[in-house]
Amino acid sequence: METVGVIGGGQMGSQIAALAAMAGYETHVYDSDSENLKSKIKFTEDNLLNLIDKGRYEKSKLDNFKEHLHSSESIDETINKKSFVIEADEYDSAFFDKRSKFIHYSP
């Protein structure tokens, strides 16, 4: 199974992670502000419920979201053994310059 890591769980990162999880990818998202990340995940879940109620999404999208989205405790947990890593943290744009030796593509 393909796995995705998202660094940064703000407005952009949390939505990227949600879409990956809804598509069925095992997704780990990390943000240094864990309370903010929890609120973004809750906000997204509430939006999904609203879209399901309106008939725009199938319930399977919510099921995938809940099953495949995981908040990580560390950056290492987020990036290790992932098929794809996305940096969505505007405050640390040099992340990959600092950590590139740890990130490898593994098809």
Side-chain angles (χ1 to χ4, degrees):
M1 170 177 272
E2 297 290 329
T3 56
V4 176
V6 180
I7 300 162
Q11 189 68 31
M12 183 173 65
S14 64
Q15 296 305 299
I16 292 169
L19 289 170
M22 287 167 40
Y25 296 104
E26 270 316 298
T27 305
H28 288 82
V29 59
Y30 169 79
D31 195 278
S32 58
D33 184 347
S34 60
E35 290 304 313
N36 183 53
L37 178 57
K38 286 178 188 175
S39 74
K40 296 293 184 192
I41 290 172
K42 174 73 171 114
F43 175 82
T44 302
E45 185 175 339
D46 291 345
N47 278 340
L48 283 171
L49 287 167
N50 185 36
L51 291 168
I52 291 166
D53 287 345
K54 291 180 178 182
R56 294 191 179 158
Y57 274 159
E58 298 291 322
K59 185 180 177 296
S60 62
K61 296 292 186 188
L62 179 62
D63 295 340
N64 278 349
F65 173 81
K66 288 181 174 184
E67 182 179 343
H68 298 293
L69 184 65
H70 312 282
S71 57
S72 298
E73 298 291 318
S74 69
I75 289 176
D76 288 333
E77 180 185 358
T78 306
I79 66 173
N80 288 334
K81 299 179 183 175
K82 300 300 182 289
S83 305
F84 194 76
V85 176
I86 299 165
E87 179 190 15
D89 185 350
E90 66 180 306
Y91 301 110
D92 192 7
S93 61
F95 171 79
F96 283 105
D97 291 339
K98 292 184 271 184
R99 309 272 303 218
S100 62
K101 64 184 176 186
F102 299 110
I103 300 173
H104 303 282
Y105 174 72
S106 58

